[in-house]
Amino acid sequence: MQKSFKLLIISTITSSLLACSGIQTSESPAETNLSNSDSVSTAIYQTVKQQAPYVGDSNEALTLNKIMADPDWIGREPQSPYWSLDGKSYFYSQKREGSVVTDLFQQSLSSKTASLVPLAQYHEVAYKNKVFNQSRDKAAWIFKQNIFVQDLSSGEVIQLTRSAQYRSSLQFLTDGRLSYRSYNKIYAINTDSGMTQQLVSWEFKEAPKANEEAKDYIAQQQLNLIEVLRERRTRTQDKFDFNAQLSAQNLASTPEPIYLPLEHKTAAASLSPNGRYLILAIEKDTPSRSEGDIMPNYIKDNGRIKAEKVRRRVADSKPESQYLWLLDLQTGTQKELSYKSLPGYNEDVLEQVKRENAEAKGQTYESNRLPRDIALLQDWGWNQSAIEWQQNGENVAIMLEAWDNKDRWLTTVDFKNKSLVTQDRLHDDAWINYNFNSFGWLNQSSQLYFLSEKSGYSHLYLKALNSDAKQLTRGDYEVDELTLSANDQFIYFKANKKHPGIYEIYRIDLSSGDIEALTDLNGVTDYVLNDKQNRLLLTHSKLTMPPELFVKTLDSEGEPQQVTFTTSEAFKQINWTVPEIVAVKSSHGEQPIYARLYAPKDAGEGDKKRAVIFNHGAGYLQNSHLGWSGYFREFMFHNLLVEKGYVVLDMDYRASAGYGRDWRTAIYRHMGKPEIEDLVDGVDWMVNNVNVDRNRIGTYGGSYGGFMTFMALFTEPDLFQAGAALRPVSDWAHYNHPYTSNILNTPDVDPIAYERSSPIYFAEGLTKPLLINAPMVDSNVFFVDTVRLVQRLIELEKQDFETAIYPVESHGFIEPSSWLDEYRRIFKLFEENL
């Protein structure tokens, strides 16, 4: 599995390209153009063709050595772009050629070239994650643990701290001071005088007492009999009380700590902008792993074997809760916020699953109404907090999720009654998405905006307190990456409104509800809105062009202008095969299976072709889009296969991202069944449409794609003639909890789901050649997955499999020599068996 597959989604969705490159869709025989219209459903079976942005004229044949070389030869794309505070320039990072070091560049809107930012000036421009004060005339940021503030009228930058103290959660308070958190303390700095004040601290221990209570008969007898002991205790109590009064009544004193339950730790802390309230999320202080969660690393520079610490398995995970505390810093009171007000807080949402598993064991299950384990929601792509305050500090919204992954609650706090108020409950019988959970407050009113999959797709909602939520966007497309304008007029967002594989930038007028398309680039596009909110910095890519930066001036008819040109001439000179996006008809649902098709120009002529189906990783990832793929090596490898006469199909099988909730959750409790059904449809489609020989088709993929290769060869042995499984999952009980428990619940609750979803239980089905490529220091999919499966194949007396190991590689390969060895073996497998 891809450990950070959200990053792959982001890397493929944050890209850029020339508007004039154009995109065409074809229905046989007519051709049409896609535009920003709502009539998407009529075109779901169209084939989408994208013109190559570069006219490569090189006839040089691709080689595996070139494809798997250090990717610097392709170009070094701009990364992590952001605007300058004055909006007159922008910054981006770029990998240094031949190095792992990344440099920072600044480019003016009026210049065609970027300048390298000197290291001595990094602190002055490291404000990508800046915060503004209420009047937006000051900005502040953290660089190397220290705080900087800039007066936006004068441009003067002042450093407020200089130490190695850890600092986070920077924000301006309504009185103009800056607050920040350092572990279990929160401070405020006066930006004019520089004075720092500790606002609050908390400790997980019992509150100190002047004297310990008599704990037994002997102790009480001693106090009753010895007068001097009683007098000493009185003096100690008097001194203790005086110091407490001094601390409470003298504002120059540092406030006493707040004492919270023993054996707990801080999960999150959020101070209200008015400085009055602190919301704490705490949890039991238990180890995140056991001593046995290790893997051996055989290749170390000291010649010894090192036991690397790794994460625990989902089979070893235990339910965890977080507890919310409301601290009133004005009155000094504290109160735990009960979850009992949450609708469904004690529902037995897994009743049917537990009953099915009990019956399989000949047992009877009785439903319960026990409180569920609940915590702050964790979104895998967030750059925000699960606790969001209204700008004036009068209201706070908290997003919570159940440990069982079936519910998400958007709540607010009733400060008077010190209780949670549910504003929205999202329930899913499968699992709540680990994306599409963004939310926040409008700047100038007590209204919440948030994303929800309630309609079956991620859409934008607006909700006033004590009123029903209003759906602002609707349709068979996904909305994400929200940005609220400062005057509350617009919310900007990214969506695949035109086609599931095309991502453009839009904004909705909150007063009229009108949606305006801001880009029409027909690829994959991400954006950053500048602080003056009159320009977009776009990252855009196409199928055969890596990401570049563009600038779009809002409220202008002009097209976005490309401002970086980082793709190498060597890459542009190659006459790349541009894959078509085809819609494969599904035999298990109304939605088609979108796929990238790589085919020789003469695919429909002559002898039947051999073919390969590539299975992307992560499960929940989209690869059949019209932008540059995170699988760029595979893109080039597929071009090489086309040169050799192969047809290649790269399918967004069920569970892939971009196609709505039902597509995402189709694999609930049975991974490896819907996806393989989709591969069967893919094989049939190639045979019927692109002249492919059914008996000369192979498959391969890494991570989740390796798992799918296993399941295809084990459960549909006649579908493919050979397969390569790279860094593959063989038993889901050994994978991690955050990903796996969403889809299969947990092994102690739902062993049926794990046993019908794990390839190791179906290994007896192997009849065709199988190549297993496994990195040995993989902290994501452990090497033991391969070891256990190989032993199972040995015991089953299977002969047609080979294993290649990579002693120095983790889940994502680094060394070009490893990439080359891996793909030489894959190519050899196909050449020999197809």
Side-chain angles (χ1 to χ4, degrees):
M1 264 295 305
Q2 196 89 22
K3 182 173 184 180
S4 301
F5 61 77
K6 173 66 176 177
L7 296 180
L8 274 181
I9 297 172
I10 292 173
S11 71
T12 57
I13 293 180
T14 56
S15 349
S16 79
L17 224 292
L18 292 169
C20 62
S21 302
I23 183 168
Q24 297 177 333
T25 65
S26 64
E27 298 172 297
S28 194
E31 291 196 349
T32 59
N33 287 321
L34 286 178
S35 62
N36 280 297
S37 68
D38 291 321
S39 56
V40 180
S41 60
T42 59
I44 63 171
Y45 285 102
Q46 292 180 352
T47 294
V48 180
K49 300 179 181 180
Q50 188 183 77
Q51 295 176 5
Y54 307 124
V55 183
D57 55 7
S58 173
N59 294 319
E60 179 184 354
L62 284 171
T63 66
L64 283 173
N65 294 70
K66 187 176 188 67
I67 292 170
M68 302 302 160
D70 186 320
D72 276 5
W73 77 268
I74 298 173
R76 291 164 292 117
E77 67 193 59
Q79 303 171 25
S80 304
Y82 63 99
W83 285 100
S84 65
L85 283 170
D86 60 11
K88 297 178 180 179
S89 63
Y90 46 87
F91 298 87
Y92 61 87
S93 298
Q94 187 178 35
K95 179 182 175 295
R96 190 179 296 177
E97 187 171 7
S99 171
V100 296
V101 175
T102 299
D103 292 312
L104 183 65
F105 289 87
Q106 182 177 13
Q107 186 165 340
S108 168
L109 289 173
S110 59
S111 173
K112 293 184 179 180
T113 58
S115 58
L116 181 68
V117 177
L119 295 179
Q121 296 177 12
Y122 269 33
H123 65 284
E124 297 178 359
V125 298
Y127 44 64
K128 182 178 181 182
N129 297 315
K130 60 192 174 296
V131 295
F132 290 102
N133 62 352
Q134 299 282 315
S135 57
R136 296 183 73 87
D137 58 7
K138 288 183 179 179
W141 60 91
I142 294 176
F143 174 74
K144 297 293 185 182
Q145 304 301 329
N146 287 298
I147 298 174
F148 297 81
V149 64
Q150 180 171 352
D151 185 312
L152 298 183
S153 58
S154 67
E156 181 184 12
V157 176
I158 299 175
Q159 183 171 355
L160 296 178
T161 64
R162 183 172 293 178
S163 72
Q165 179 185 5
Y166 174 74
R167 297 177 175 89
S168 64
S169 305
L170 187 68
Q171 70 169 331
F172 275 100
L173 302 179
T174 53
D175 64 8
R177 292 182 298 168
L178 266 172
S179 73
Y180 66 90
R181 177 184 165 197
S182 181
Y183 301 106
N184 289 347
K185 297 180 176 68
I186 293 181
Y187 300 87
I189 305 178
N190 186 307
T191 59
D192 295 324
S193 67
M195 179 181 175
T196 300
Q197 175 188 353
Q198 180 178 302
L199 298 179
V200 62
S201 65
W202 58 97
E203 299 179 15
F204 297 97
K205 60 193 297 186
E206 293 182 356
K209 301 175 183 177
N211 299 293
E212 292 295 327
E213 300 291 334
K215 295 183 178 180
D216 54 27
Y217 173 81
I218 295 296
Q220 187 61 58
Q221 181 192 49
Q222 186 82 331
L223 293 177
N224 291 339
L225 293 174
I226 309 300
E227 182 177 359
V228 67
L229 294 179
R230 297 196 299 274
E231 291 177 351
R232 287 179 178 179
R233 287 170 68 88
T234 299
R235 292 196 293 269
T236 301
Q237 186 67 52
D238 289 344
K239 185 176 181 180
F240 183 88
D241 292 343
F242 173 79
N243 286 331
Q245 293 169 4
L246 179 63
S247 178
Q249 298 178 27
N250 191 307
L251 297 180
S253 302
T254 300
E256 291 296 311
I258 292 169
Y259 298 97
L260 294 166
L262 297 172
E263 299 178 345
H264 283 68
K265 62 183 178 181
T266 306
S270 184
L271 180 70
S272 64
N274 58 19
R276 174 167 180 178
Y277 295 106
L278 178 68
I279 300 285
L280 284 179
I282 68 172
E283 61 190 6
K284 291 286 184 64
D285 190 5
T286 56
S288 61
R289 51 179 300 279
S290 70
E291 291 184 0
D293 291 327
I294 58 172
M295 69 174 178
N297 189 338
Y298 291 95
I299 310 295
K300 298 298 293 183
D301 52 11
N302 63 2
R304 305 304 195 272
I305 300 172
K306 181 180 180 181
E308 303 279 6
K309 296 179 180 179
V310 292
R311 50 91 181 155
R312 67 171 42 155
R313 296 159 173 81
V314 63
D316 298 327
S317 297
K318 304 299 180 185
E320 298 176 0
S321 280
Q322 293 175 353
Y323 309 93
L324 294 180
W325 285 78
L326 174 64
L327 280 55
D328 188 330
L329 306 187
Q330 188 176 92
T331 63
T333 59
Q334 57 198 69
K335 174 75 163 42
E336 183 179 352
L337 298 172
S338 172
Y339 293 142
K340 291 183 179 180
S341 63
L342 302 180
Y345 89 99
N346 64 343
E347 285 183 12
D348 190 359
V349 295
L350 285 166
E351 178 181 359
Q352 295 302 320
V353 170
K354 294 175 180 176
R355 179 167 287 112
E356 179 186 346
N357 278 273
E359 290 174 352
K361 300 175 183 178
Q363 301 170 352
T364 301
Y365 175 74
E366 294 184 4
S367 183
N368 67 68
R369 300 285 293 182
L370 298 175
R372 297 157 72 185
D373 292 284
I374 295 171
L376 295 179
L377 185 136
Q378 300 293 318
D379 184 295
W380 295 15
W382 258 0
N383 57 3
Q384 66 167 99
S385 167
I387 306 172
E388 291 288 331
W389 290 91
Q390 191 178 353
Q391 195 173 59
N392 58 15
E394 298 297 323
N395 288 294
V396 65
I398 305 172
M399 189 166 279
L400 300 163
E401 66 178 335
W403 168 266
D404 54 49
N405 309 307
K406 303 295 186 285
D407 273 288
R408 182 194 83 178
W409 296 273
L410 179 57
T411 69
T412 53
V413 175
D414 180 339
F415 293 112
K416 180 179 179 181
N417 296 309
K418 297 180 174 56
S419 62
L420 293 175
V421 179
T422 301
Q423 299 295 334
D424 182 77
R425 177 193 182 187
L426 180 62
H427 175 83
D428 197 310
D429 288 338
W431 76 92
I432 296 296
N433 203 337
Y434 19 68
N435 298 320
F436 304 141
N437 296 296
S438 298
F439 73 101
W441 295 91
L442 296 190
N443 294 311
Q444 300 170 22
S445 66
S446 300
Q447 295 187 78
L448 288 162
Y449 63 89
F450 60 94
L451 292 177
S452 173
E453 280 190 317
K454 187 175 298 185
S455 70
Y457 287 81
S458 172
H459 280 295
L460 178 62
Y461 293 77
L462 188 65
K463 186 182 188 303
L465 302 181
N466 305 315
S467 297
D468 293 336
K470 178 183 179 183
Q471 186 174 346
L472 300 182
T473 61
R474 60 188 71 246
D476 293 351
Y477 61 92
E478 307 277 31
V479 171
D480 201 7
E481 304 296 335
L482 307 180
T483 302
L484 174 67
S485 64
N487 62 1
D488 286 350
Q489 183 180 358
F490 299 111
I491 289 181
Y492 295 77
F493 61 89
K494 177 176 62 182
N496 55 353
K497 196 168 184 281
K498 295 193 298 188
H499 180 279
I502 298 175
Y503 287 83
E504 305 285 5
I505 309 306
Y506 302 83
R507 68 180 178 187
I508 183 169
D509 189 309
L510 294 183
S511 58
S512 68
D514 294 338
I515 296 176
E516 177 185 3
L518 301 176
T519 64
D520 191 20
L521 295 173
N522 294 308
V524 168
T525 307
D526 210 338
Y527 77 103
V528 181
L529 179 68
N530 68 350
D531 297 321
K532 293 186 177 181
Q533 303 185 346
N534 62 355
R535 287 190 177 94
L536 296 175
L537 183 58
L538 304 170
T539 308
H540 175 77
S541 71
K542 292 196 185 299
L543 286 162
T544 58
M545 180 176 171
E548 298 286 4
L549 296 182
F550 289 68
V551 171
K552 162 70 175 177
T553 300
L554 297 175
D555 302 320
S556 168
E557 298 299 324
E559 295 294 331
Q561 298 299 306
Q562 184 173 348
V563 292
T564 63
F565 302 85
T566 61
T567 305
S568 72
E569 290 302 316
F571 179 86
K572 290 189 286 188
Q573 287 174 7
I574 296 175
N575 186 18
W576 296 107
T577 295
V578 184
E580 300 176 357
I581 306 300
V582 299
V584 175
K585 187 173 179 59
S586 171
S587 54
H588 297 86
E590 294 182 359
Q591 282 186 266
I593 310 156
Y594 288 93
R596 289 188 176 196
L597 173 68
Y598 300 76
K601 293 180 180 179
D602 63 347
E605 305 169 2
D607 295 336
K608 289 186 176 295
K609 307 296 182 184
R610 49 188 176 170
V612 168
I613 289 185
F614 170 67
N615 308 308
H616 68 65
Y620 190 60
L621 181 149
Q622 186 177 15
N623 204 42
S624 296
H625 52 72
L626 280 87
W628 182 246
S629 174
Y631 291 101
F632 60 90
R633 292 182 181 87
E634 287 73 8
F635 158 77
M636 293 187 286
F637 179 58
H638 297 161
N639 267 261
L640 182 146
L641 290 177
V642 168
E643 287 184 1
K644 302 295 183 181
Y646 289 79
V647 172
V648 181
L649 198 65
D650 175 357
M651 305 184 74
D652 275 345
Y653 49 81
R654 273 175 286 173
S656 298
Y659 306 96
R661 179 265 172 199
D662 292 348
W663 198 260
R664 170 176 67 83
T665 62
I667 60 171
Y668 178 57
R669 300 192 66 221
H670 203 160
M671 301 165 80
K673 182 177 184 293
E675 309 96 298
I676 306 309
E677 291 174 344
D678 292 345
L679 297 192
V680 172
D681 287 337
V683 166
D684 290 342
W685 187 90
M686 287 194 296
V687 169
N688 295 327
N689 291 274
V690 276
N691 196 31
V692 163
D693 185 343
R694 186 181 294 276
N695 296 314
R696 300 179 70 198
I697 306 175
T699 189
Y700 85 104
S703 194
Y704 197 98
F707 152 75
M708 284 180 57
T709 299
F710 280 157
M711 291 299 273
L713 267 61
F714 295 172
T715 65
E716 289 282 349
D718 296 326
L719 187 62
F720 298 111
Q721 303 309 305
L726 326 176
R727 40 201 171 276
V729 175
S730 67
D731 188 345
W732 287 109
H734 289 254
Y735 197 57
N736 69 30
H737 175 271
Y739 178 85
T740 320
S741 66
N742 284 287
I743 306 168
L744 301 179
N745 302 310
T746 52
D748 60 321
V749 170
D750 200 0
I752 288 176
Y754 280 80
E755 291 168 14
R756 67 186 177 198
S757 300
S758 296
I760 199 166
Y761 291 98
F762 303 95
E764 67 274 8
L766 179 64
T767 62
K768 302 292 174 55
L770 168 64
L771 169 65
I772 307 172
N773 287 359
M776 293 184 69
V777 284
D778 191 336
S779 58
N780 184 11
V781 178
F782 297 154
F783 182 59
V784 71
D785 267 63
T786 293
V787 173
R788 294 175 71 240
L789 180 67
V790 166
Q791 179 60 29
R792 180 85 177 116
L793 292 171
I794 292 171
E795 292 177 3
L796 289 168
E797 299 184 3
K798 299 294 181 181
Q799 301 180 52
D800 222 357
F801 73 93
E802 294 182 353
T803 306
I805 61 172
Y806 297 88
V808 301
E809 297 292 358
S810 186
H811 197 62
F813 281 21
I814 296 176
E815 304 301 329
S817 58
S818 300
W819 282 108
L820 179 60
D821 182 88
E822 180 174 56
Y823 276 79
R824 276 176 172 168
R825 295 175 187 274
I826 297 169
F827 183 64
K828 180 180 178 182
L829 176 77
F830 293 152
E831 287 288 274
E832 290 181 348
N833 294 284
L834 304 183

